[in-house]
Amino acid sequence: MTPLFPPLFDGRATAGADPFAAACTEAAAGCDAGLVLYDIGPDTLRAAIVFAPEVPLRQAMIMQPICGIGFQNALGAVAPPEVSLHLEWQGGLRLNGARCGALRSAAASRDPDALPSWLVVALDLHMRSDTEETGLTPDETTLAAEGCGDLDPGDLLGAWLRHTLVWINRWEAEGVRPVHDTWTGLAHGLGDMLSLSAYSGTFRGIDEDFGLLLQQDGDAQIIPLTDILEETS
C-alpha cells in the first residue's frame, strides 16, 4: 500500500536507492524539512526523514530517540500482544530480544554546539527473510519471524511518522522529561555491560541530552549521542 503521510511530511519513493544517502544529499542541497524518502523492498522497509533543527546538535539529536519511540508506538499498536520492541542507545531495534533493524543519523555538522542546517534520521527494518532457518542467527530476526508477517510496510511507515510527530509535538510542549522517561522504559540492556568501539562499561542510563552513562571500575563516563552520527560523503 502507498503510505499515507501526515501533515508536514512529504513522502517520495527512491525506487531502490538508499533513502538515507539520498536524504542526506537532498538535505545538503537545501530541501525542505519534513521530506521523507523511502524504499519498500521485498524483505525490507527503509526510510529517512529530513529535519531542520532549531537547537544545537547536542539537543537536536533527541530526534533519533523520538523516532525510536515513535516506531515502538506504531508497531505496538498493530503487532500481536506477545511482541516486544526495545531500543538500543546506538540505534538498534530489538524485537523480542533480537535485532530486526536500526535507526541511523547524520547531520550537516558533527560539532555538538553548532546549529546544523539539517539532520537526517533513517529507519532500516527487516520485514522478512528469504530463509526459514533462524537458528543460525539467533541475535537477528524479522517482523515476519516474530508473528508480524501480515503487516503492510506502507501502513507501518505512515504509522511511524504519525507517532513520531506526536512525540515531536510533545517534546516541544513539555520538554525532554517525557521523552527521557519513555525511552528509558524501552531501553535495551540497561544495567548490562556494553562495548562501543573504544568504550566499555555498565550501561547505567542516559543524561538529559541522551548521552550514554557508562560505569567503569567505579568511575562514570558520558558518551555523547552525537558520537553515533554517521559520516556523509
Side-chain angles (χ1 to χ4, degrees), residues 64 86-94 99 183 186-188:
Q64 176 158 316
H86 289 86
L87 308 173
E88 293 182 336
W89 177 80
Q90 57 270 56
L93 303 173
R94 292 272 184 168
R99 288 191 180 92
W183 188 93
L186 298 171
H188 173 78

Side-chain angles (χ1 to χ4, degrees), residues 2 13 16-18 23 28 31 35 40 47 54 73 85 91 102 113 141 145 160 167 176 195 199 206 224:
T2 301
D18 178 15
C31 74
L35 175 65
I40 298 175
E54 298 180 352
N73 288 181
L85 185 94
D113 298 315
T141 191
W160 174 49
W167 277 97
V176 70
S195 295
Y199 308 106
I206 50 175

Side-chain angles (χ1 to χ4, degrees), residues 7-187:
L8 307 180
F9 290 107
D10 173 27
R12 304 178 198 171
T14 61
D18 178 15
F20 181 61
C24 291
T25 299
E26 292 281 354
C31 74
D32 291 336
L35 175 65
V36 179
L37 298 182
Y38 67 94
D39 176 61
I40 298 175
D43 303 320
T44 59
L45 166 61
R46 301 184 297 170
I49 308 171
V50 177
F51 297 99
E54 298 180 352
V55 295
L57 183 60
R58 189 188 311 276
Q59 287 80 47
M61 281 298 294
I62 197 174
M63 287 300 108
Q64 176 158 316
I66 282 177
C67 286
I69 295 171
F71 181 73
Q72 190 277 338
N73 288 181
L75 184 63
V78 295
E82 65 271 16
V83 171
S84 175
L85 185 94
H86 289 86
L87 308 173
E88 293 182 336
W89 177 80
Q90 57 270 56
L93 303 173
R94 292 272 184 168
L95 190 61
N96 292 342
R99 288 191 180 92
C100 68
L103 296 168
R104 309 160 60 193
S105 297
S109 168
R110 295 178 64 89
D111 180 355
D113 298 315
L115 181 65
S117 57
W118 56 267
L119 170 68
V120 169
V121 179
L123 169 70
D124 294 330
L125 186 65
H126 307 309
M127 297 294 297
R128 55 186 54 84
S129 174
D130 58 3
T131 176
E132 296 182 0
E133 178 56 64
T134 59
L136 299 177
T137 55
D139 200 43
E140 302 287 338
T141 191
T142 66
L143 265 67
E146 302 301 329
C148 303
D150 293 335
L151 297 184
D152 183 280
D155 289 345
L156 189 57
L157 173 56
W160 174 49
L161 296 172
R162 290 191 297 274
H163 283 278
T164 295
L165 183 58
V166 167
W167 277 97
I168 292 173
N169 291 336
R170 188 169 180 186
W171 167 64
E172 291 177 339
E174 302 178 39
V176 70
R177 177 55 66 89
V179 183
H180 187 289
D181 291 348
T182 301
W183 188 93
T184 299
L186 298 171

